Amino acid sequence: MRFKDKVALITGGNYGIGRGIALQMVREGANVAIVARNEQRGAQVVAEISESGGNGEFFKAELSSEETVIGMIDAVIEHFGRLDIVVNNAGCGSQNCGIEAADPPGPRWANFRGANLDSTYFVSAHSLPHLAKCEDSSIVNISSTATFHGNWGLYGVAKSGVEALTRSFAAEAAPLGIRVNCISPGWIGTGEDADSAAAGTEDGEWSLPPSLLNRMGTPEEIATTVAFLASKEASFITGQTIVVDGGLTIIDYPSIPTLDKVGHRLYSHSPKK
Ligand SMILES: NC(=O)c1ccc[n+]([C@@H]2O[C@H](COP(=O)([O-])OP(=O)(O)OC[C@H]3O[C@@H](n4cnc5c(N)ncnc54)[C@H](OP(=O)(O)O)[C@@H]3O)[C@@H](O)[C@H]2O)c1
């Protein structure tokens, strides 16, 4: 119960990784504000939280709009009376794709920047005065290992901005006693297929393993890292990005077949040709 009586705001908490984070924070005693656009999914997670004996409320907001974010934070404060933890998890991504008339550069950049970077900036900036009133308050952002890889287009660019913003806000918020950190997830299984996707590559779904551990990660594995960073146990950590990717980014993938020679399970568990 590390977060008993605290209030945590989770953007994108109505689905996927964000839902996992919201449920983890509730398990550890937090009251949770879930912020996203889809009300039906929001209501489902709030019902799950209530059934587990927790306290959650859904706040509808398009997070790329500063005006909407200001109204949403006012509503959260009016409802819960305080704000201790902010998790900027909302986002959207896709790999590189060619410029088309239906998807021109300006709107495309506005889309990825808005959902990933503007949302993180607006929510963090307008939360600071409220976080500053609480002890041990902190912000946890969610970026992506797409920041390392050129094939993730503007998603990787926007998420790189999230990591830079983490350092920038950590410096700005330190005098207020607020820590700011970031998690960079690799492939995480979400939605209805999460269990099968997390089970690994034996079914041939992946042509190469999605991590060094031969499986996708789970929302819970991101959620427990969020909880650690938001807790007192991380009291001397700020401005950092922790990669949670099962070792994906430390592997030189073109060399994987050579691992077979030494019987490494990463290759031997890969789908048979
Ligand atoms: N899954 C992965 O493998 C993976 C890997 C690396 C990083 N990530 C990052 O982890 C985070 C969660 O990923 P996920 O896989 O759980 O994604 P997801 O299932 O697509 O969920 C995205 C969440 O963000 C919300 N959202 C998106 N745009 C929004 C906007 N403009 N305003 C308000 N809410 C918005 C969505 O809710 P509404 O649609 O209801 O608004 C939804 O709750 C994202 O930031 C993603 O980039 C995911």
Side-chain angles (χ1 to χ4, degrees):
M1 299 298 275
R2 287 183 288 189
F3 307 120
K4 192 171 182 303
D5 299 329
K6 290 186 181 274
V7 175
L9 185 163
I10 322 291
T11 71
N14 63 346
Y15 196 65
I17 294 173
R19 171 180 164 274
I21 295 168
L23 297 178
Q24 179 70 34
M25 299 309 282
V26 166
R27 273 194 292 275
E28 299 212 34
N31 302 297
V32 169
I34 290 163
V35 184
R37 296 164 302 182
N38 188 310
E39 292 172 277
Q40 200 184 341
R41 283 180 172 170
Q44 278 167 12
V45 178
V46 167
E48 260 184 276
I49 290 170
S50 299
E51 280 161 26
S52 72
N55 181 21
E57 186 72 20
F58 178 71
F59 298 85
K60 183 178 177 173
E62 165 54 65
L63 295 168
S64 61
S65 156
E66 182 175 16
E67 201 184 333
T68 307
V69 167
I70 291 170
M72 175 276 290
I73 288 175
D74 285 349
V76 169
I77 294 298
E78 195 177 325
H79 184 84
F80 286 110
R82 60 186 289 156
L83 184 56
D84 301 85
I85 296 160
V86 167
V87 184
N88 286 302
N89 160 81
C92 71
S94 80
Q95 298 209 26
N96 275 348
C97 42
I99 302 297
E100 292 168 13
D103 183 23
R108 183 188 291 191
W109 176 226
N111 180 40
F112 288 113
R113 195 198 65 219
N116 295 293
L117 183 53
D118 290 356
S119 63
T120 301
Y121 175 56
F122 294 148
V123 174
S124 300
H126 291 291
S127 295
L128 278 191
H130 303 290
L131 293 170
K133 290 179 191 160
C134 300
E135 294 275 311
D136 306 317
S137 50
S138 88
I139 297 175
V140 182
N141 299 324
I142 304 292
S143 65
S144 166
T145 52
T147 59
F148 294 104
H149 306 300
N151 58 312
W152 280 94
L154 296 177
Y155 173 59
V157 178
K159 287 298 197 185
S160 297
V162 169
E163 293 182 6
L165 195 67
T166 300
R167 292 184 282 273
S168 168
F169 258 86
E172 188 177 328
L176 304 172
I178 303 163
R179 294 178 301 104
V180 185
N181 290 293
C182 184
I183 294 168
S184 172
W187 286 100
I188 307 298
T190 59
E192 287 161 11
D193 61 348
D195 289 342
S196 58
T201 61
E202 296 291 345
D203 59 1
E205 188 181 344
W206 297 81
S207 57
L208 287 172
S211 75
L212 183 57
L213 302 178
N214 204 35
R215 64 175 177 86
M216 292 176 85
T218 63
E220 289 69 31
E221 287 171 317
I222 301 302
T224 48
T225 313
V226 168
F228 165 68
L229 285 175
S231 76
K232 273 188 182 175
E233 284 158 44
S235 53
F236 202 50
I237 302 176
T238 193
Q240 303 305 306
T241 295
I242 296 184
V243 177
V244 181
D245 70 344
L248 170 73
T249 47
I250 63 150
I251 287 297
D252 166 25
Y253 266 64
S255 71
I256 283 177
T258 64
L259 293 173
D260 192 34
K261 292 182 188 143
V262 291
H264 193 284
R265 71 186 188 93
L266 177 64
Y267 182 66
S268 58
H269 280 202
S270 298
K272 306 281 178 300
K273 294 231 168 71

Short mmCIF file of all heavy atoms in Angstrom, two decimals, residues 217-265:
data_model
loop_
_atom_site.label_atom_id
_atom_site.label_comp_id
_atom_site.label_asym_id
_atom_site.label_seq_id
_atom_site.Cartn_x
_atom_site.Cartn_y
_atom_site.Cartn_z
N GLY A 217 6.58 -8.21 -23.46
CA GLY A 217 6.34 -7.87 -22.06
C GLY A 217 4.85 -7.74 -21.81
O GLY A 217 4.03 -7.78 -22.73
N THR A 218 4.48 -7.57 -20.55
CA THR A 218 3.07 -7.41 -20.17
C THR A 218 2.85 -6.00 -19.60
O THR A 218 3.79 -5.38 -19.09
CB THR A 218 2.68 -8.43 -19.08
OG1 THR A 218 3.46 -8.15 -17.90
CG2 THR A 218 2.95 -9.86 -19.53
N PRO A 219 1.60 -5.51 -19.66
CA PRO A 219 1.31 -4.22 -19.02
C PRO A 219 1.73 -4.19 -17.55
O PRO A 219 2.19 -3.17 -17.04
CB PRO A 219 -0.22 -4.10 -19.17
CG PRO A 219 -0.52 -4.86 -20.42
CD PRO A 219 0.43 -6.04 -20.38
N GLU A 220 1.61 -5.35 -16.87
CA GLU A 220 1.97 -5.41 -15.44
C GLU A 220 3.46 -5.13 -15.26
O GLU A 220 3.88 -4.53 -14.26
CB GLU A 220 1.61 -6.78 -14.85
CG GLU A 220 0.12 -7.04 -14.70
CD GLU A 220 -0.61 -7.20 -16.04
OE1 GLU A 220 0.01 -7.67 -17.02
OE2 GLU A 220 -1.79 -6.82 -16.12
N GLU A 221 4.28 -5.59 -16.24
CA GLU A 221 5.73 -5.38 -16.10
C GLU A 221 6.10 -3.91 -16.27
O GLU A 221 7.12 -3.45 -15.76
CB GLU A 221 6.49 -6.28 -17.07
CG GLU A 221 6.44 -7.74 -16.59
CD GLU A 221 6.99 -8.73 -17.61
OE1 GLU A 221 6.68 -8.60 -18.81
OE2 GLU A 221 7.70 -9.66 -17.19
N ILE A 222 5.29 -3.16 -17.02
CA ILE A 222 5.49 -1.71 -17.10
C ILE A 222 4.92 -1.07 -15.82
O ILE A 222 5.54 -0.18 -15.22
CB ILE A 222 4.80 -1.12 -18.35
CG1 ILE A 222 5.37 -1.77 -19.63
CG2 ILE A 222 4.97 0.40 -18.39
CD1 ILE A 222 6.87 -1.63 -19.81
N ALA A 223 3.74 -1.56 -15.40
CA ALA A 223 3.06 -0.96 -14.24
C ALA A 223 3.90 -1.07 -12.96
O ALA A 223 3.94 -0.12 -12.17
CB ALA A 223 1.71 -1.65 -14.04
N THR A 224 4.57 -2.20 -12.76
CA THR A 224 5.36 -2.34 -11.52
C THR A 224 6.58 -1.42 -11.55
O THR A 224 7.03 -0.94 -10.51
CB THR A 224 5.80 -3.81 -11.30
OG1 THR A 224 6.38 -4.31 -12.51
CG2 THR A 224 4.63 -4.69 -10.89
N THR A 225 7.09 -1.14 -12.76
CA THR A 225 8.21 -0.19 -12.86
C THR A 225 7.72 1.24 -12.61
O THR A 225 8.41 2.04 -11.98
CB THR A 225 8.90 -0.31 -14.24
OG1 THR A 225 9.11 -1.69 -14.53
CG2 THR A 225 10.24 0.41 -14.24
N VAL A 226 6.52 1.55 -13.13
CA VAL A 226 5.92 2.86 -12.84
C VAL A 226 5.77 3.03 -11.32
O VAL A 226 6.14 4.06 -10.75
CB VAL A 226 4.53 3.01 -13.52
CG1 VAL A 226 3.79 4.23 -12.98
CG2 VAL A 226 4.67 3.09 -15.04
N ALA A 227 5.22 1.98 -10.68
CA ALA A 227 4.98 2.07 -9.23
C ALA A 227 6.30 2.28 -8.48
O ALA A 227 6.37 3.08 -7.53
CB ALA A 227 4.27 0.80 -8.75
N PHE A 228 7.34 1.57 -8.91
CA PHE A 228 8.66 1.76 -8.27
C PHE A 228 9.12 3.22 -8.40
O PHE A 228 9.48 3.87 -7.42
CB PHE A 228 9.70 0.82 -8.89
CG PHE A 228 11.12 1.20 -8.56
CD1 PHE A 228 11.60 1.08 -7.26
CD2 PHE A 228 11.97 1.70 -9.55
CE1 PHE A 228 12.91 1.47 -6.95
CE2 PHE A 228 13.27 2.08 -9.24
CZ PHE A 228 13.75 1.97 -7.94
N LEU A 229 9.07 3.75 -9.64
CA LEU A 229 9.57 5.11 -9.87
C LEU A 229 8.74 6.16 -9.11
O LEU A 229 9.26 7.20 -8.72
CB LEU A 229 9.58 5.43 -11.36
CG LEU A 229 10.70 4.76 -12.17
CD1 LEU A 229 10.54 5.05 -13.66
CD2 LEU A 229 12.09 5.22 -11.70
N ALA A 230 7.44 5.87 -8.95
CA ALA A 230 6.57 6.82 -8.26
C ALA A 230 6.66 6.70 -6.74
O ALA A 230 6.15 7.54 -6.02
CB ALA A 230 5.12 6.61 -8.71
N SER A 231 7.34 5.64 -6.27
CA SER A 231 7.36 5.38 -4.82
C SER A 231 8.58 6.01 -4.15
O SER A 231 9.53 6.43 -4.81
CB SER A 231 7.39 3.87 -4.57
OG SER A 231 8.70 3.37 -4.83
N LYS A 232 8.56 5.99 -2.84
CA LYS A 232 9.69 6.52 -2.04
C LYS A 232 10.96 5.72 -2.29
O LYS A 232 12.06 6.20 -2.03
CB LYS A 232 9.34 6.45 -0.55
CG LYS A 232 8.61 7.66 -0.05
CD LYS A 232 8.51 7.55 1.47
CE LYS A 232 7.75 8.73 2.04
NZ LYS A 232 7.53 8.60 3.47
N GLU A 233 10.79 4.45 -2.73
CA GLU A 233 11.98 3.63 -2.99
C GLU A 233 12.86 4.21 -4.07
O GLU A 233 14.04 3.87 -4.18
CB GLU A 233 11.55 2.21 -3.36
CG GLU A 233 11.09 1.41 -2.16
CD GLU A 233 10.18 0.26 -2.55
OE1 GLU A 233 10.50 -0.44 -3.51
OE2 GLU A 233 9.15 0.09 -1.88
N ALA A 234 12.28 5.09 -4.91
CA ALA A 234 13.05 5.72 -5.99
C ALA A 234 13.35 7.19 -5.64
O ALA A 234 13.51 8.03 -6.53
CB ALA A 234 12.28 5.64 -7.30
N SER A 235 13.46 7.48 -4.34
CA SER A 235 13.52 8.87 -3.88
C SER A 235 14.74 9.65 -4.37
O SER A 235 14.75 10.88 -4.32
CB SER A 235 13.45 8.92 -2.36
OG SER A 235 14.44 8.07 -1.82
N PHE A 236 15.80 8.95 -4.85
CA PHE A 236 16.99 9.67 -5.34
C PHE A 236 17.13 9.53 -6.86
O PHE A 236 18.19 9.76 -7.42
CB PHE A 236 18.25 9.16 -4.62
CG PHE A 236 19.40 10.13 -4.64
CD1 PHE A 236 19.22 11.46 -4.26
CD2 PHE A 236 20.68 9.73 -5.04
CE1 PHE A 236 20.28 12.36 -4.29
CE2 PHE A 236 21.74 10.61 -5.06
CZ PHE A 236 21.55 11.94 -4.68
N ILE A 237 16.04 9.13 -7.52
CA ILE A 237 16.08 8.96 -8.98
C ILE A 237 15.22 10.04 -9.62
O ILE A 237 14.02 10.12 -9.37
CB ILE A 237 15.54 7.57 -9.40
CG1 ILE A 237 16.35 6.46 -8.72
CG2 ILE A 237 15.58 7.41 -10.92
CD1 ILE A 237 15.82 5.05 -9.01
N THR A 238 15.82 10.87 -10.45
CA THR A 238 15.03 11.84 -11.21
C THR A 238 15.73 12.16 -12.53
O THR A 238 16.96 12.09 -12.63
CB THR A 238 14.74 13.13 -10.40
OG1 THR A 238 13.73 13.88 -11.08
CG2 THR A 238 15.98 14.01 -10.21
N GLY A 239 14.93 12.45 -13.55
CA GLY A 239 15.45 12.81 -14.87
C GLY A 239 15.91 11.62 -15.69
O GLY A 239 16.54 11.77 -16.73
N GLN A 240 15.55 10.39 -15.24
CA GLN A 240 16.07 9.19 -15.89
C GLN A 240 15.02 8.50 -16.77
O GLN A 240 13.83 8.59 -16.52
CB GLN A 240 16.53 8.18 -14.83
CG GLN A 240 17.58 8.73 -13.90
CD GLN A 240 18.79 9.28 -14.65
OE1 GLN A 240 19.38 8.58 -15.47
NE2 GLN A 240 19.15 10.52 -14.38
N THR A 241 15.52 7.81 -17.79
CA THR A 241 14.67 6.95 -18.60
C THR A 241 15.13 5.51 -18.41
O THR A 241 16.30 5.20 -18.65
CB THR A 241 14.75 7.33 -20.09
OG1 THR A 241 14.23 8.64 -20.26
CG2 THR A 241 13.94 6.36 -20.95
N ILE A 242 14.23 4.65 -17.95
CA ILE A 242 14.56 3.23 -17.74
C ILE A 242 13.97 2.43 -18.89
O ILE A 242 12.76 2.50 -19.17
CB ILE A 242 13.98 2.73 -16.40
CG1 ILE A 242 14.64 3.48 -15.24
CG2 ILE A 242 14.19 1.23 -16.25
CD1 ILE A 242 14.22 3.01 -13.87
N VAL A 243 14.80 1.67 -19.56
CA VAL A 243 14.35 0.83 -20.66
C VAL A 243 13.81 -0.49 -20.09
O VAL A 243 14.51 -1.17 -19.34
CB VAL A 243 15.50 0.56 -21.65
CG1 VAL A 243 15.03 -0.38 -22.76
CG2 VAL A 243 16.02 1.86 -22.25
N VAL A 244 12.55 -0.81 -20.43
CA VAL A 244 11.93 -2.07 -19.97
C VAL A 244 11.52 -2.82 -21.23
O VAL A 244 10.41 -2.66 -21.74
CB VAL A 244 10.71 -1.79 -19.05
CG1 VAL A 244 10.10 -3.09 -18.54
CG2 VAL A 244 11.13 -0.91 -17.86
N ASP A 245 12.44 -3.61 -21.76
CA ASP A 245 12.21 -4.19 -23.10
C ASP A 245 12.68 -5.63 -23.22
O ASP A 245 12.84 -6.15 -24.33
CB ASP A 245 12.91 -3.33 -24.16
CG ASP A 245 14.43 -3.43 -24.10
OD1 ASP A 245 14.96 -3.90 -23.06
OD2 ASP A 245 15.09 -3.06 -25.08
N GLY A 246 12.94 -6.30 -22.08
CA GLY A 246 13.40 -7.69 -22.14
C GLY A 246 14.71 -7.83 -22.91
O GLY A 246 15.01 -8.90 -23.44
N GLY A 247 15.50 -6.76 -22.95
CA GLY A 247 16.81 -6.82 -23.60
C GLY A 247 16.78 -6.56 -25.10
O GLY A 247 17.82 -6.66 -25.77
N LEU A 248 15.62 -6.20 -25.63
CA LEU A 248 15.49 -5.98 -27.09
C LEU A 248 16.58 -5.07 -27.66
O LEU A 248 17.21 -5.39 -28.67
CB LEU A 248 14.11 -5.38 -27.38
CG LEU A 248 13.86 -4.86 -28.80
CD1 LEU A 248 13.71 -6.03 -29.76
CD2 LEU A 248 12.62 -3.98 -28.83
N THR A 249 16.80 -3.94 -27.00
CA THR A 249 17.70 -2.93 -27.60
C THR A 249 19.18 -3.22 -27.40
O THR A 249 20.02 -2.50 -27.92
CB THR A 249 17.37 -1.53 -27.05
OG1 THR A 249 17.25 -1.61 -25.63
CG2 THR A 249 16.10 -0.99 -27.65
N ILE A 250 19.52 -4.29 -26.64
CA ILE A 250 20.95 -4.59 -26.50
C ILE A 250 21.40 -5.66 -27.48
O ILE A 250 22.55 -6.09 -27.46
CB ILE A 250 21.34 -5.00 -25.06
CG1 ILE A 250 20.64 -6.31 -24.66
CG2 ILE A 250 21.05 -3.89 -24.07
CD1 ILE A 250 21.44 -7.12 -23.66
N ILE A 251 20.47 -6.11 -28.33
CA ILE A 251 20.81 -7.20 -29.25
C ILE A 251 21.13 -6.67 -30.65
O ILE A 251 20.40 -5.82 -31.17
CB ILE A 251 19.65 -8.22 -29.31
CG1 ILE A 251 19.61 -9.03 -28.02
CG2 ILE A 251 19.79 -9.15 -30.50
CD1 ILE A 251 20.84 -9.87 -27.77
N ASP A 252 22.18 -7.19 -31.21
CA ASP A 252 22.55 -6.91 -32.59
C ASP A 252 21.84 -7.97 -33.44
O ASP A 252 22.31 -9.09 -33.58
CB ASP A 252 24.08 -7.01 -32.69
CG ASP A 252 24.56 -7.07 -34.11
OD1 ASP A 252 23.83 -6.57 -34.99
OD2 ASP A 252 25.65 -7.62 -34.33
N TYR A 253 20.65 -7.62 -33.93
CA TYR A 253 19.79 -8.63 -34.54
C TYR A 253 20.36 -9.36 -35.76
O TYR A 253 20.17 -10.57 -35.90
CB TYR A 253 18.40 -8.05 -34.83
CG TYR A 253 17.45 -8.33 -33.68
CD1 TYR A 253 17.70 -7.78 -32.42
CD2 TYR A 253 16.39 -9.20 -33.80
CE1 TYR A 253 16.88 -8.07 -31.35
CE2 TYR A 253 15.56 -9.49 -32.74
CZ TYR A 253 15.81 -8.92 -31.50
OH TYR A 253 15.01 -9.23 -30.44
N PRO A 254 21.11 -8.68 -36.64
CA PRO A 254 21.65 -9.43 -37.79
C PRO A 254 22.58 -10.58 -37.37
O PRO A 254 22.77 -11.53 -38.11
CB PRO A 254 22.43 -8.36 -38.57
CG PRO A 254 21.77 -7.09 -38.20
CD PRO A 254 21.36 -7.24 -36.76
N SER A 255 23.13 -10.50 -36.14
CA SER A 255 24.06 -11.55 -35.71
C SER A 255 23.35 -12.70 -35.01
O SER A 255 24.00 -13.64 -34.55
CB SER A 255 25.12 -10.96 -34.78
OG SER A 255 24.53 -10.62 -33.54
N ILE A 256 22.04 -12.65 -34.88
CA ILE A 256 21.33 -13.68 -34.12
C ILE A 256 21.61 -15.10 -34.63
O ILE A 256 21.82 -16.01 -33.81
CB ILE A 256 19.81 -13.38 -34.10
CG1 ILE A 256 19.55 -12.27 -33.09
CG2 ILE A 256 19.01 -14.62 -33.72
CD1 ILE A 256 18.11 -11.82 -33.03
N PRO A 257 21.65 -15.36 -35.94
CA PRO A 257 21.90 -16.74 -36.38
C PRO A 257 23.21 -17.32 -35.83
O PRO A 257 23.29 -18.52 -35.60
CB PRO A 257 21.94 -16.62 -37.90
CG PRO A 257 21.07 -15.44 -38.19
CD PRO A 257 21.32 -14.48 -37.06
N THR A 258 24.20 -16.46 -35.58
CA THR A 258 25.47 -16.99 -35.06
C THR A 258 25.29 -17.54 -33.64
O THR A 258 26.07 -18.38 -33.20
CB THR A 258 26.57 -15.91 -35.05
OG1 THR A 258 26.18 -14.87 -34.15
CG2 THR A 258 26.81 -15.33 -36.43
N LEU A 259 24.25 -17.06 -32.94
CA LEU A 259 24.01 -17.57 -31.59
C LEU A 259 23.67 -19.05 -31.61
O LEU A 259 23.88 -19.77 -30.63
CB LEU A 259 22.87 -16.79 -30.91
CG LEU A 259 23.13 -15.31 -30.59
CD1 LEU A 259 21.86 -14.64 -30.10
CD2 LEU A 259 24.21 -15.18 -29.54
N ASP A 260 23.11 -19.51 -32.73
CA ASP A 260 22.73 -20.92 -32.86
C ASP A 260 23.93 -21.82 -32.67
O ASP A 260 23.82 -22.91 -32.10
CB ASP A 260 22.11 -21.14 -34.25
CG ASP A 260 21.44 -22.50 -34.33
OD1 ASP A 260 20.89 -22.94 -33.30
OD2 ASP A 260 21.49 -23.11 -35.40
N LYS A 261 25.09 -21.35 -33.12
CA LYS A 261 26.31 -22.16 -33.04
C LYS A 261 26.67 -22.48 -31.59
O LYS A 261 27.28 -23.48 -31.30
CB LYS A 261 27.47 -21.43 -33.71
CG LYS A 261 27.30 -21.32 -35.21
CD LYS A 261 28.50 -20.62 -35.83
CE LYS A 261 28.19 -20.34 -37.29
NZ LYS A 261 28.71 -19.09 -37.76
N VAL A 262 26.31 -21.57 -30.69
CA VAL A 262 26.61 -21.84 -29.28
C VAL A 262 25.36 -22.31 -28.54
O VAL A 262 25.32 -22.36 -27.32
CB VAL A 262 27.22 -20.59 -28.59
CG1 VAL A 262 28.60 -20.30 -29.12
CG2 VAL A 262 26.31 -19.37 -28.72
N GLY A 263 24.30 -22.64 -29.31
CA GLY A 263 23.09 -23.22 -28.72
C GLY A 263 22.30 -22.25 -27.87
O GLY A 263 21.58 -22.65 -26.95
N HIS A 264 22.41 -20.95 -28.18
CA HIS A 264 21.66 -19.97 -27.38
C HIS A 264 20.17 -20.12 -27.64
O HIS A 264 19.73 -20.25 -28.78
CB HIS A 264 22.13 -18.55 -27.73
CG HIS A 264 21.64 -17.54 -26.75
ND1 HIS A 264 20.35 -17.08 -26.74
CD2 HIS A 264 22.27 -16.90 -25.74
CE1 HIS A 264 20.20 -16.20 -25.76
NE2 HIS A 264 21.36 -16.07 -25.14
N ARG A 265 19.38 -20.07 -26.58
CA ARG A 265 17.95 -20.33 -26.73
C ARG A 265 17.22 -19.24 -27.50
O ARG A 265 16.14 -19.46 -28.03
CB ARG A 265 17.28 -20.57 -25.39
CG ARG A 265 17.16 -19.34 -24.53
CD ARG A 265 16.60 -19.69 -23.16
NE ARG A 265 16.31 -18.50 -22.41
CZ ARG A 265 15.12 -17.91 -22.39
NH1 ARG A 265 14.11 -18.40 -23.07
NH2 ARG A 265 14.92 -16.82 -21.69
#
